[in-house]
Structures are given as structure tokens and as C-alpha cells.
Amino acid sequence: MQDTSAADEIQDVLTGLGEALAARDVDRALTFFAEDCYWRDFVSFTWNMITLEGQDAIADMLRERLEDVQPDDWAPDDAVPARRDGGVTEGFIRFSTSVAHGYGYVRLRDGKIWTLLTTAQDLKGHEEPGSLSRPLGLVQDEQIGEPTWTDRRDAERAELGVTQQPYVLIVGGGHSGIILAARLRQLGVPALIVEKNERAGDNWRKRYKTLQLHNPIWENELPYLSFPDNWPIYMNKDKFADWLESYTNVMELNFWGGAEATSARFDEETSTWEVEVERHGEKVTLRPKQLVMSTGSHARPTIPDLPGRDVFEGIQQHSSEHPGPDGLEGKKVVVVGSGTSAHDIAAALAARDVDVTMIQRSPTYVVKPDSFNKHVLGALYSQEAAANGVTPEKGDILAASFPYALFFDVQKAGVDKIREIDAEFYEELGNSGFLLDFGPRDGGLFARAITGVNNYYIDVGAAQMIIDGRLKVASGSGVKELRERSVILEDGRELDADAIIYATGFTSMKGAIADLISPEVAERLGEISGIGSGEGTDPGPWEGEIRNMWKPVDQEGLWFHGALIAHARSYSRYLALQLKARMEGMPTPTYRLEEARDSSLV
């Protein structure tokens, strides 16, 4: 039921703010913001992805952008009730600008704006076709002799990248690249995906056979096409891979499998990329205006250069090459690493009664899926959220509504509740010798992910195997060297091994840029991750948004996209709108385009 007093309070603030902005009175507009305030904007005001912290930062943005943006029509979204909770009044909002339809979220404390999220959802005059504007499709009268849908689709496949150049080239055809291509298709932007694997979904399909998605189905929805209602809450990787392939076909995406981008050069005179692609053994040159790197964090496997790798007589595999436990029965296996892949692989081996030891150099955050879903994801992506009118798209807005400056505290509240509920589980796991922590600033899984330390695990069985002694853990030390049939740890322990599996992760997109374009461009851009928190592998200074992702960077025509499925779904909208605007020749003055900050991490 709608809390009418909450909705009225939000409407009163939005009305006053709207009147001040319409009058271009920045000082009066600031009176509607708390002294400690945050405004996060995705494209709608700034043509950027930024967070403004404090009244001075908000004032600077408004003075520069207000005349151009011309915001109007501020109102609560009555479809999802506004509410009051612990002294905070909050709710979804709508607004418009001179060029966009906007949507967002606001939180009030003591009658003033504490946090504000504004996002562009559509460009006026270039809205996505929907149920009320779908094409007729019926062929009749003199049109009967014209090319059919199949004829037109076959022609498009044959021409794009050959006789017709794509406006956007997406390098990487995993879930992120596919989602972005679907957005661009809806907006009428010619886009082509190049993917070194043969089939859409192969980046999931080719992983170890026991891999499953550890996040619930509501978090993993793709735009425009929902999963069937009878699908499981947690999907096997092959089921999801097949869905990606079907989605690619149904959404009519242009996907080149077996195609690898080998080099890229930007022509300053024509503002066009020249990208060399090797496709099924043939070299092809593509000339898109916009180049999107969507290789994600799984571009290149990282295998430590350990002394003795050349003398070890057993099997050595990276986790990306590991097919599963078949054929390893009766062998001694060492898994190097203690993140999700390490736990999954080791658990599958232990389930086959393989003698397996996981090397855990540093602490890992572990959480039970039911607890994680209830206390971290529940309000955003769950059956309960859906029943409350929070679709995955609204969940995305809600997830983005807290600025990163408050992110760790928000996450910690859920983590603390889980620690209390699952205290016995954590005590037993710690007593087994397993090294536990609860993420940077006790912010749990997402705090680890956002700071670049993916050493976490949503427990689907490995933790209990560790507690029961079925899965052994050698903790507190890294690997010093390999011998013919053993692994020597830095603290002197020796582990017999017939096979070693390196669950040691992947290099960043910065390394991929150095390989594809040039080391100079990679160094100029700096890191393609992190928020500048100073935690883990996320060096400062503070950025407040993920570096270089989904927004203009210090290289014309180059963009970065990729993340968890939910992030890819959410942020692809804003990247697609920026690309569409540029294709249409719309002015896109980017507010506060920061110079790329270098980092020593490649």
C-alpha cells in the first residue's frame, strides 16, 4: 500500500527542486539538499557516469549543465510505493530533460535530499520500439513480392562487416557483449560482435562441467526476454550458455564466432578505427566508428611463473582449461587459489573421492546462498522483490541508488546480519584451519568484487566438505616451487601432486588494450576497474565510480563494458544511449571527463 505521506513528502521536495531548476536558481536548488548529500548521475545531466559528493560539487555541475539539460516533470513513480524507513523517506522518481526521459531514486532525511540518482532511460525521438510501437510485420498487397524477413536477415549477415561497416564493433561475445548488442539493436545502431569462440555462450559452455551460476535467476535476467517461469533459481552453465545462444538468434544480433581481433588503430583524420580480425583463418579489416572492449575480466588466464613448472611431471591446467573431475580419480590433486573456481573445482573432485588440497594463501569471504539472497539481494532481485513491484530493471536502479561513498556501510549491514545468523557455520569453518574474512571494511562479496579482489565464494557445498575434512586446505602460505611430483609451499610444507590446477584468475582489460591497441594507450587510460578506495588491488585516489567503464575515456571512440550479468544488463543501457546519441550527431558534452590516472597494475 502506498504511504501517501511519504509520496507527498517526495512530491513536495521534487516540486520545489523543479521550480528552482526551471528558474535556473542554483542557490535555491541547493536548499533542497542536505549538507551531507550525494547526486549520482548516469548520462541524464552529465553525459557521464559520475557521483557528485556534497553541495559544492552539485552546484558546480548545475551551473555548467543546467541551461543545456532543462530538467522538468519531476514526480514520484506511483507504480512502486514510496516508503519511510528509519528516518529516511525514499522512492522511485520520474523526470525529463531536453533530450531524454529520466528515471531515478531519491532518499530524504529531515525533509532534504540525502541521495539522488538520475538516469537517462530513452532519448527523445529515438525511443526503443515497445508493445505500443511494435512494427506491423504483415506483408500484404504490392509488398508481397518484396524480400521476406529471411531474405533481409540473410543479406544483413552477409553484408555487415563486408560491404557495410558496423557503427559499433564489440570485441568479446560473452554475456556482456551480447547484452550490449541487444540494446543497440533496439536503438537501430548497426553493431557487430567478434568472438574468438565459435558459438555464443561458449565462454560459459567450455568451462568445467560442474560450473553453475551462484546468483539467483532474478539477478541474471537479460533485457527484453525473461527466463521461463519454470527455470531453476540457480542455472547450470550449459543451460545459461544455450540461453545466450538462443537469445543471440532471437534478438537478431550480428555475431561472428571464430573471429579474433588481433590489432586496432584509431585514424585521427577520419575518427574511425581500423581493426584487424582473423576469422576462420582469413584476415578481415573492419572500420567502425566506435570500438567497445567487452572481454571482461576473463580475457587472458593468469598462471604464476613458478620455479619448477618445467620439471613437474604431472598435469598442469588453468581453471579455464579444466574440463571437470573425469580421469582424475585415484590421483592427488592440488588446486592453487581459493576463490569461486577453486572451490567449485575442488568440491567436484572431492565428490569423486579424489585426494584434493586447495592452497589458500590469503583469507576468503564465504557466504551461504540463502543468507546472501535474503540479506543482500532480497530487496533487489528475488521472488519477494518481484511481488513488491521491483522488477530486475527497478532492482538495478535501486542497486545504483546508493553512491559508492556509502557502499561499504550499506553492504556491511547485510554482512553483519549474516555473521550473526550463520555464526556456528563460520566458527566451524574457521576451526578447520580455513582463513576467513568478511571483505574490505567488512563489506562482503560486493566489496571484494568492486575493489578487484575476487577471493570470495557463495557456498554450494565446498565449505561443508572442508569442515568435514573431505576437502583439504593448506592455508596461510603461497607456492614457492614445483618438483617432479610435489608442490613446495613458502613455509616449507610439501604436498604430493599428480595434477595441479591453477585457479589463479585472469588479467585485466588494461592488459588486453596493451595487446590490441598499444601499451601507450593502455598506460594513458590507466586501470579499467576499481573506484579508488585504497582497498585490495584498488589504489587511490578516490574516483567514486568504476574507472573508465561505460563512459567516455581518454581515447576517442573507445569504450569499456563488462561485469557481472546484473551490471552488464544495467549499465549497457547507458552505454548504448551514449553510442546512439553519437551516431545521430547529438551534442554530448561530457561533464567532468577526468584524465585517465595511471597505475602500475597491468
Side-chain angles (χ1 to χ4, degrees):
M1 180 179 293
Q2 176 79 288
D3 183 340
T4 55
S5 60
D8 289 345
E9 183 181 1
I10 290 174
Q11 181 65 77
D12 289 345
V13 171
L14 292 179
T15 298
L17 175 65
E19 290 173 351
L21 296 179
R24 309 297 185 262
D25 189 339
V26 173
D27 290 337
R28 180 152 64 98
L30 291 181
T31 65
F32 294 94
F33 287 85
E35 187 171 331
D36 175 25
C37 58
Y38 304 87
W39 184 339
R40 197 176 190 191
D41 181 66
F42 294 169
V43 178
S44 63
F45 275 68
T46 62
W47 290 107
N48 203 344
M49 310 281 285
I50 67 171
T51 298
L52 307 163
E53 301 182 5
Q55 290 189 7
D56 289 346
I58 291 171
D60 290 344
M61 184 275 288
L62 290 175
R63 290 190 176 103
E64 182 170 330
R65 296 292 302 133
L66 195 52
E67 190 63 39
D68 183 45
V69 175
Q70 300 177 36
D72 199 1
D73 302 323
W74 297 89
D77 178 10
D78 295 333
V80 182
R83 67 192 187 101
R84 284 196 171 99
D85 183 15
V88 175
T89 303
E90 58 187 297
F92 294 92
I93 62 171
R94 298 185 182 278
F95 64 98
S96 67
T97 73
S98 59
V99 300
H101 304 287
Y103 198 71
Y105 201 86
V106 67
R107 289 184 182 86
L108 310 178
R109 287 200 307 196
D110 299 324
K112 293 183 180 290
I113 297 171
W114 175 38
T115 71
L116 176 63
L117 170 70
T118 51
T119 75
Q121 294 290 297
D122 282 298
L123 301 177
K124 292 180 177 178
H126 303 287
E127 293 86 351
E128 293 182 356
S131 59
L132 298 180
S133 57
R134 68 170 76 233
L136 178 62
L138 180 66
V139 178
Q140 54 188 338
D141 300 329
E142 66 274 5
Q143 297 175 332
I144 292 176
E146 295 181 1
T148 66
W149 172 86
T150 302
D151 294 333
R152 295 193 302 274
R153 185 75 182 108
D154 287 345
E156 182 182 21
R157 288 193 184 101
E159 293 169 2
L160 193 64
V162 181
T163 61
Q164 301 290 330
Q165 290 299 315
Y167 182 75
V168 177
L169 180 65
I170 301 171
V171 178
H175 61 261
S176 295
I178 288 170
I179 288 170
L180 176 61
R183 296 271 191 205
L184 293 172
R185 182 77 180 186
Q186 293 298 103
L187 290 170
V189 178
L192 175 64
I193 300 169
V194 292
E195 165 59 41
K196 63 182 179 180
N197 287 309
E198 283 293 331
R199 297 165 57 193
D202 270 355
N203 62 319
W204 288 89
R205 194 177 285 113
K206 291 184 175 181
R207 297 297 301 277
Y208 52 93
K209 71 177 187 178
T210 57
L211 175 61
Q212 56 189 319
L213 279 66
H214 292 191
N215 293 341
I217 195 168
W218 303 281
E219 188 182 5
N220 296 326
E221 290 278 10
L222 275 56
Y224 315 116
L225 194 60
S226 293
F227 295 115
D229 288 343
N230 65 340
W231 273 37
I233 294 174
Y234 298 96
M235 277 180 283
N236 174 269
K237 54 99 176 180
D238 292 321
K239 194 175 187 72
F240 185 60
D242 287 349
W243 180 261
L244 287 174
E245 188 170 35
S246 299
Y247 183 89
T248 299
N249 291 326
V250 170
M251 298 303 296
E252 302 177 22
L253 308 184
N254 296 300
F255 185 99
W256 280 8
E260 183 173 6
T262 57
S263 69
R265 182 185 68 85
F266 187 72
D267 188 326
E268 299 285 349
E269 292 186 5
T270 62
S271 295
T272 301
W273 287 94
E274 184 176 287
V275 183
E276 299 296 331
V277 175
E278 187 168 314
R279 185 188 187 196
H280 296 139
E282 296 184 5
K283 293 185 178 179
V284 180
T285 301
L286 298 174
R287 293 181 173 84
K289 287 290 186 180
Q290 310 290 341
L291 178 63
V292 178
M293 294 297 297
S294 188
T295 55
S297 60
H298 289 65
R300 296 185 303 173
T302 296
I303 299 178
D305 186 16
L306 298 170
R309 279 197 65 207
D310 56 337
V311 302
F312 181 73
E313 296 176 352
I315 299 168
Q316 295 187 69
Q317 298 172 332
H318 188 266
S319 61
S320 60
E321 305 167 314
H322 176 67
D326 296 345
L328 292 174
E329 294 89 345
K331 298 185 182 298
K332 294 181 181 294
V333 180
V334 171
V335 178
V336 181
S338 58
T340 296
S341 293
H343 279 81
D344 279 351
I345 290 168
L349 290 165
R352 294 283 188 92
D353 294 323
V354 174
D355 185 340
V356 56
T357 302
M358 185 168 65
I359 296 177
Q360 184 195 28
R361 182 176 60 181
S362 56
T364 305
Y365 175 62
V366 179
V367 63
K368 290 185 173 184
D370 289 347
S371 300
F372 182 65
N373 294 343
K374 181 175 182 180
H375 297 290
V376 177
L377 295 180
L380 309 176
Y381 312 109
S382 66
Q383 189 66 57
E384 180 184 0
N388 291 331
V390 180
T391 63
E393 290 74 18
K394 283 188 169 62
D396 295 339
I397 292 290
L398 199 53
S401 65
F402 271 112
Y404 280 119
L406 304 175
F407 171 80
F408 293 96
D409 288 341
V410 172
Q411 293 298 311
K412 185 178 183 299
V415 171
D416 286 348
K417 186 66 175 177
I418 293 170
R419 290 177 72 172
E420 178 185 342
I421 292 170
D422 294 330
E424 184 178 349
F425 164 73
Y426 287 122
E427 182 179 6
E428 290 179 346
L429 190 56
N431 289 341
S432 72
F434 189 88
L435 298 179
L436 275 169
D437 74 1
F438 294 91
R441 307 180 198 175
D442 288 344
L445 186 153
F446 288 129
R448 274 203 176 281
I450 207 68
T451 57
V453 183
N454 293 322
N455 205 32
Y456 56 78
Y457 174 57
I458 299 177
D459 178 33
V460 293
Q464 193 60 49
M465 289 181 173
I466 293 170
I467 292 169
D468 295 340
R470 295 178 62 194
L471 195 172
K472 294 180 287 186
V473 178
S475 58
S477 182
V479 178
K480 178 182 179 182
E481 62 178 338
L482 307 184
R483 295 180 183 170
E484 288 84 353
R485 285 287 173 179
S486 65
V487 177
I488 308 300
L489 302 186
E490 292 169 345
D491 62 7
R493 282 177 287 176
E494 182 171 5
L495 306 175
D496 293 338
D498 301 305
I500 301 171
I501 300 168
Y502 299 99
T504 45
F506 300 81
T507 57
S508 70
M509 277 199 281
K510 182 180 177 183
I513 287 299
D515 290 344
L516 182 67
I517 303 176
S518 73
E520 292 75 22
V521 170
E523 288 302 310
R524 187 169 79 242
L525 296 179
E527 279 304 295
I528 320 295
S529 63
I531 57 176
S533 67
E535 300 280 354
T537 58
D538 179 27
W542 176 251
E543 293 279 343
E545 291 290 342
I546 300 178
R547 297 183 186 92
N548 288 317
M549 295 291 288
W550 310 294
K551 56 189 173 184
V553 301
D554 191 18
Q555 169 59 60
E556 183 183 347
L558 181 62
W559 307 81
F560 295 94
H561 172 56
L564 300 172
I565 298 167
H567 285 162
R569 177 187 61 240
S570 176
Y571 294 116
S572 61
R573 178 188 296 274
Y574 313 113
L575 175 51
L577 291 177
Q578 292 173 83
L579 294 169
K580 173 66 172 178
R582 283 162 173 78
M583 190 186 82
E584 297 296 339
M586 296 171 60
T588 55
T590 305
Y591 179 73
R592 211 176 73 179
L593 178 59
E594 303 289 348
E595 293 184 3
R597 292 188 173 95
D598 193 16
S599 160
S600 62
L601 301 173
V602 178

